[in-house]
Amino acid sequence: VRIRGVVVNDIKVNVDQMYGDEGLCGMTPTSEVPAFNLIALPGTKPLEQGTQFLNCVPDEVFWMYNWSWLDLNSDGSWSAAEAEAVTKKLNRAQLYLTSTHARMLAAIHDSAEVVLTMGRYAHNPSVLQHARTVVTLLDEANGSIPQKVFLGEVRPFLDMCLIMDDHLCGNLLWR
C-alpha cells in the first residue's frame, strides 16, 4: 500500500510539472493554434473548433507564430506596450513577452549594426543594404518591431526554437 501511494504521488508531481500554469506543457484551444497549423500533420482533418491540444512549445515561441497576437492595434508594428499588455492579459507564469520584446529588439538592431561595421561584408552591397534597411526601419519605429523586420529577421528562424536547443534558438528569444 505504501509503494502504491509513493507511485501515485510521484505521478501527481510529474503531471503537475508537465501541465498547468507552472508546468512545461498545457492544453491549447483551437483558437490559439497558429495559422500554419503547427499541431496537425499534413493531410489530416482540419482542426475542429473547441478541440484542445497538448502544447509543449514555450509560450514565448508559441505566441510568435501569430502576428495578430502581438500587434494588438494592427498598426504593423509590435510595441513594448503591446508586449506588456499581452503578458498581463494572459497572466501565464511562463510568458514574459515584455522582456522577449526588449531582447529581440536589441538583438536585431545590434546584429544589423555589427554587419555594417564588419569588414567581412564590405564587398557585399546587398547584405549591407539589408542591414541599413533593418536599422532604418527599427529607428523609425521608435522602440517597436515592424512586421516587415519581424517576418524577415525573426520568423524564418522560429521553427528552430521548437527543437529546444539554445544553440539554435539563442540568437533572438533566449538571450
Side-chain angles (χ1 to χ4, degrees):
V1 176
R2 175 145 166 53
I3 293 173
R4 183 182 178 278
V6 170
V7 170
V8 170
N9 286 340
D10 283 349
I11 289 171
K12 180 173 179 4
V13 167
N14 289 335
V15 168
D16 288 344
Q17 288 173 353
M18 185 167 240
Y19 300 101
D21 199 36
E22 299 296 327
L24 300 174
C25 300
M27 298 306 287
T28 298
T30 309
S31 61
E32 290 184 8
V33 173
F36 76 95
N37 193 354
L38 172 75
I39 295 169
L41 296 173
T44 60
K45 294 180 184 178
L47 299 177
E48 295 178 25
Q49 291 300 316
T51 304
Q52 297 257 332
F53 297 92
L54 180 63
N55 176 14
C56 296
V57 176
D59 287 338
E60 282 94 346
V61 175
F62 187 73
W63 281 83
M64 295 292 130
Y65 277 101
N66 272 332
W67 177 256
S68 62
W69 294 346
L70 305 174
D71 181 15
L72 301 178
N73 62 5
S74 301
D75 68 350
S77 288
W78 179 36
S79 69
E82 289 168 320
E84 185 174 352
V86 172
T87 300
K88 286 181 179 177
K89 175 185 170 190
L90 295 173
N91 193 28
R92 293 184 182 173
Q94 297 181 35
L95 183 64
Y96 300 103
L97 288 179
T98 307
S99 60
T100 301
H101 179 276
R103 289 190 318 269
M104 190 177 291
L105 180 63
I108 295 169
H109 196 280
D110 293 350
S111 296
E113 290 287 352
V114 166
V115 167
L116 292 173
T117 59
M118 285 180 72
R120 178 179 187 178
Y121 299 107
H123 303 293
N124 194 331
S126 63
V127 169
L128 293 174
Q129 182 55 44
H130 180 78
R132 279 189 212 98
T133 299
V134 168
V135 169
T136 299
L137 289 170
L138 290 176
D139 289 346
E140 290 173 354
N142 295 317
S144 293
I145 300 172
Q147 184 177 18
K148 181 177 180 176
V149 172
F150 183 88
L151 293 176
E153 307 304 315
V154 177
R155 180 58 189 93
F157 305 102
L158 273 181
D159 291 347
M160 289 187 282
C161 297
L162 300 176
I163 299 169
M164 294 307 300
D165 182 335
D166 59 357
H167 298 291
L168 296 176
C169 182
N171 291 336
L172 296 174
L173 292 178
W174 304 114
R175 270 191 194 166

